[in-house]
Amino acid sequence: MALNNTYDARLVQQETALGAGVQILVLTLLGTAIGMGPAGWLTGLAFAVATWAVLSRALHRSRLRSFGPANRVTLGRSILVGGVTALVADSFQSPPPLTLLVGLTAVALILDGVDGKVARRTGTSTALGARFDMEVDAFLILVLSVYVSVAQGPWVLLIGAMRYGFVAAARFWPWLNAPLPPSTARKTVAAFQGVFLLLAASGLLPHLVEFGVVATALAALVWSFGRDILWLWRTSRVQEAVEAEELVSVSV
């Protein structure tokens, strides 16, 4: 039985290694096509190595017997995000080919709606898969906000940094780690962040309209996070009150 578990673990890890190999192949193709500079190469390779290392560790901890079709879709999205990351890093040295940047980003955003459906239809939904999907989404938003901030200003970085700021805050205020109830509004706001940033990055909009689109995305995100934080705070206060009453009851 132990041998079977070891074999399954190695089989799952092989898929992450394959993903890293495909990521390097994509970077090679991009580098050949556009003459990518050192910044793009180093950033893209760092993304590939980091993704492989973090995902391999998470898989080892979760002890999944199969990587699963949904995770394969998410891994494919992460490879596209790695390509976008390399292009954005390279853009600080030379303007990127917008068609390629927009194309890779658009496909990554479209596939965001695929992995969840695949997981549900195949019955392979896992906590790891949901977290993997969320991290890929968050990093793509961060990269796009970096690119758009060059034209619109540093304030755009708030869009990409907000989720990471929330995670950092949860280390100091543990009540932020409590599970949130399902919310269509939250999912909608999160989905539109990538769409709005992609519109701004495309260069198709006048500067003022682009500003309005990004500002709308930020306002919606602030509202969504603010609503969730308020709910978590109120819930924690109620829980504290209940625990205090139980403690008093036990003492009496």
Side-chain angles (χ1 to χ4, degrees), residues 19-20 22-31 33-34 36-37 39-49 51 74-91 96-108 136 139-140 143-144 147:
V22 174
Q23 180 73 83
I24 294 172
L25 175 60
V26 168
L27 292 174
T28 302
L29 293 175
L30 289 175
I34 67 172
M36 195 159 57
W41 273 108
L42 291 175
T43 305
L45 290 172
F47 178 89
V49 172
T51 301
T74 308
L75 183 59
R77 284 203 304 119
S78 75
I79 291 170
L80 296 175
V81 172
V84 173
T85 302
L87 290 175
V88 170
D90 193 61
S91 70
L98 279 179
T99 302
L100 188 56
L101 178 65
V102 170
L104 290 176
T105 304
V107 175
V136 172
F139 195 79
L140 176 58
V143 171
L144 290 176
Y147 182 75

Side-chain angles (χ1 to χ4, degrees), residues 12-131:
V12 170
Q13 296 292 347
Q14 285 174 5
E15 300 216 36
T16 63
L18 178 61
V22 174
Q23 180 73 83
I24 294 172
L25 175 60
V26 168
L27 292 174
T28 302
L29 293 175
L30 289 175
T32 303
I34 67 172
M36 195 159 57
W41 273 108
L42 291 175
T43 305
L45 290 172
F47 178 89
V49 172
T51 301
W52 169 78
V54 172
L55 187 55
S56 295
R57 184 179 181 185
L59 286 167
H60 179 72
R61 288 183 171 182
S62 67
R63 298 185 179 278
L64 288 180
R65 290 180 173 273
S66 171
F67 195 63
N71 284 334
R72 293 188 185 102
V73 175
T74 308
L75 183 59
R77 284 203 304 119
S78 75
I79 291 170
L80 296 175
V81 172
V84 173
T85 302
L87 290 175
V88 170
D90 193 61
S91 70
F92 288 94
Q93 294 181 328
S94 60
L98 279 179
T99 302
L100 188 56
L101 178 65
V102 170
L104 290 176
T105 304
V107 175
L109 291 174
I110 291 171
L111 289 177
D112 185 27
V114 174
D115 45 12
K117 292 180 180 179
V118 171
R120 288 187 293 272
R121 290 182 180 179
T122 59
T124 55
S125 298
T126 62
L128 173 62
R131 180 66 182 271

Side-chain angles (χ1 to χ4, degrees), residues 4 32 58 78 92 122 157 163 182 184 196 199 204 210 230 245:
N4 288 336
T32 303
S78 75
F92 288 94
T122 59
L157 295 173
R163 191 256 170 183
T184 301
F196 284 1
L199 284 173
L204 299 175
E210 183 180 304
L230 181 60
E245 289 181 2

